[in-house]
Amino acid sequence: MRSLPYVTGARTRVTIAAAAAFALLATGPAALAASSADSDDSGFTIKDPRITESSGLAASRAHPGVYWTHNDQDEPRVFAVDSKTGETVATITLQGVGKPRDMEAISIGSDGNVYVGDIGDNLDGSWNHVWIYRFPEPKVLKDATVKATQFTVKYADGPRNAEALMVHPTTGRVYIASKKDGGGGLYEGPATLSAAGTNVFRRIGEVPMVTDGAFSPDGKELVLRSYFSARGYAWTNGKLGADHRVSVPLQGQSESVTYTVDGKALMFGSEGEQSEVERVALGKESVSGGGSKSPSGEESSDIGEDIGKSNVTYGAIILIGGAALILGVKRLARRRRD
């Protein structure tokens, strides 16, 4: 998915650093304390030069500390990345599937299989069907070619763009969240996917614009992220429940999310060369003023509500800090010109 521009250069790096500091101010003391407490595992940088469009992220169940990812427009392959080093420890090529169009998501099911969602559609509904690829998570991490199963998917209410595929950790049921400005839909797949026919996914709920999602390891919560925000939803009997804000890091192109295997944190990924995967310890923020319209997403998709409405005091601090940072950047730019 390439909907946001990539920029480089020294001034850009300064600006990004300023924005990161701005975002850090916005998190408040509680988030700062959590960050300090979780410094043992603060995320990693994907170092493999082949991975330039990391669009999906899934924590390995068979290999703790390893995360699966993939490019969106690529060969039928996925990469296993060691979070301790950021290095790729296995490249798995899928055999028995067609040429991928737009791989956007990856998830691991209760059956020990890895599911890859070739579900993107940048023309927002130009494909009358999309695909899911499934293969067993390897017991040994090494480069290999594995036989995969390909599933054809259609939506009951017509074609659409999507970037989030989630497999429930206990029921094994597959869900897809569509991506659309102003809000999308959550779609439920059949109880068992069929490789022989078409798998029809039916809309069961309304969600904000979504770039990825993940179920908690116990299956009791679903987290959906977008470019600037994320929300957690209680999950009961296959339905969306009450929702709450989830803290997200500031990233250049926010793409993916997965829970850590122990369920204590979320890992947020982004696109680009040497992209960052950042850990955020779990913590719920109450939705102020009864603002949540669970699960319609009408107010949940409002960036201003998610980022700037939580605390007036911190808002003032952010404004002051932001102004100082901008002034510093301008002074640095003048020095460079001189």
Side-chain angles (χ1 to χ4, degrees), residues 128-139:
N128 65 2
H129 69 276
V130 291
W131 299 299
I132 295 173
Y133 312 129
R134 185 184 71 190
F135 65 95
E137 185 171 17
K139 295 181 179 179

Side-chain angles (χ1 to χ4, degrees), residues 113-138:
N113 286 316
V114 180
Y115 292 72
V116 181
D118 188 358
I119 56 177
D121 187 345
N122 288 330
L123 297 180
D124 201 19
S126 60
W127 306 115
N128 65 2
H129 69 276
V130 291
W131 299 299
I132 295 173
Y133 312 129
R134 185 184 71 190
F135 65 95
E137 185 171 17

Side-chain angles (χ1 to χ4, degrees), residues 26-92:
T27 60
L32 291 172
S35 175
S36 175
D38 293 305
S39 58
D40 294 346
D41 182 7
S42 57
F44 57 97
T45 299
I46 297 176
K47 297 180 180 178
D48 193 328
R50 298 173 297 172
I51 306 174
T52 59
E53 301 173 319
S54 176
S55 293
L57 195 67
S60 170
R61 293 189 178 186
H63 309 282
V66 168
Y67 289 82
W68 293 99
T69 190
H70 55 84
N71 292 312
D72 53 10
Q73 296 177 6
D74 198 355
E75 304 169 26
R77 63 179 178 178
V78 299
F79 306 91
V81 180
D82 186 347
S83 63
K84 293 182 179 179
T85 64
E87 301 285 355
T88 297
V89 291
T91 302
I92 304 299

Side-chain angles (χ1 to χ4, degrees), residues 38 41-43 260 262 264-268 277-281:
D38 293 305
D41 182 7
S42 57
T260 55
D262 60 13
K264 294 181 179 180
L266 290 163
M267 302 293 280
F268 291 91
V277 176
E278 300 185 49
R279 171 185 169 121
V280 174

Side-chain angles (χ1 to χ4, degrees), residues 6-306:
Y6 292 102
V7 288
T8 57
R11 292 184 186 179
T12 299
R13 287 193 293 271
V14 172
T15 303
I16 292 174
F22 183 92
L24 188 59
L25 284 171
T27 60
L32 291 172
S35 175
S36 175
D38 293 305
S39 58
D40 294 346
D41 182 7
S42 57
F44 57 97
T45 299
I46 297 176
K47 297 180 180 178
D48 193 328
R50 298 173 297 172
I51 306 174
T52 59
E53 301 173 319
S54 176
S55 293
L57 195 67
S60 170
R61 293 189 178 186
H63 309 282
V66 168
Y67 289 82
W68 293 99
T69 190
H70 55 84
N71 292 312
D72 53 10
Q73 296 177 6
D74 198 355
E75 304 169 26
R77 63 179 178 178
V78 299
F79 306 91
V81 180
D82 186 347
S83 63
K84 293 182 179 179
T85 64
E87 301 285 355
T88 297
V89 291
T91 302
I92 304 299
T93 301
L94 310 184
Q95 186 180 62
V97 303
K99 171 68 175 176
R101 287 188 298 225
D102 193 356
M103 297 186 297
E104 290 287 356
I106 190 166
S107 184
I108 298 178
S110 57
D111 54 5
N113 286 316
V114 180
Y115 292 72
V116 181
D118 188 358
I119 56 177
D121 187 345
N122 288 330
L123 297 180
D124 201 19
S126 60
W127 306 115
N128 65 2
H129 69 276
V130 291
W131 299 299
I132 295 173
Y133 312 129
R134 185 184 71 190
F135 65 95
E137 185 171 17
K139 295 181 179 179
V140 178
L141 289 177
K142 62 179 182 179
D143 292 353
T145 298
V146 302
K147 182 174 177 56
T149 302
Q150 177 171 300
F151 302 98
T152 299
V153 169
K154 288 187 176 183
Y155 302 98
D157 54 357
R160 58 206 58 250
N161 185 28
E163 294 189 6
L165 176 147
M166 300 76 62
V167 183
H168 195 273
T170 57
T171 67
R173 199 153 197 159
V174 182
Y175 297 84
I176 294 174
S178 64
K179 178 187 178 185
K180 187 174 180 63
D181 290 340
L186 180 66
Y187 291 82
E188 179 185 72
T192 302
L193 295 179
S194 170
T198 298
N199 298 273
V200 178
F201 278 60
R202 304 185 184 282
R203 195 175 186 121
I204 62 169
E206 306 303 310
V207 296
M209 188 186 77
V210 175
T211 61
D212 200 14
F215 280 108
S216 60
D218 61 9
K220 295 181 179 180
E221 184 154 293
L222 173 65
V223 165
L224 300 174
R225 82 166 298 181
S226 64
Y227 292 124
F228 303 102
S229 62
R231 303 199 76 80
Y233 296 82
W235 188 262
T236 307
N237 299 324
K239 294 182 180 180
L240 292 169
D243 66 311
H244 59 87
R245 295 190 192 96
V246 174
S247 296
V248 296
L250 180 68
Q251 295 178 307
Q253 182 154 340
S254 307
E255 276 293 308
S256 55
V257 65
T258 187
Y259 276 85
T260 55
V261 174
D262 60 13
K264 294 181 179 180
L266 290 163
M267 302 293 280
F268 291 91
S270 60
E271 280 195 2
E273 296 180 1
Q274 295 195 7
S275 58
E276 299 290 334
V277 176
E278 300 185 49
R279 171 185 169 121
V280 174
L282 283 177
K284 296 185 178 181
E285 296 179 40
S286 61
V287 179
S288 61
S292 173
K293 293 187 178 181
S294 169
S296 70
E298 291 179 5
E299 294 191 21
S300 300
S301 60
D302 186 335
I303 295 171
E305 183 226 2
D306 273 334

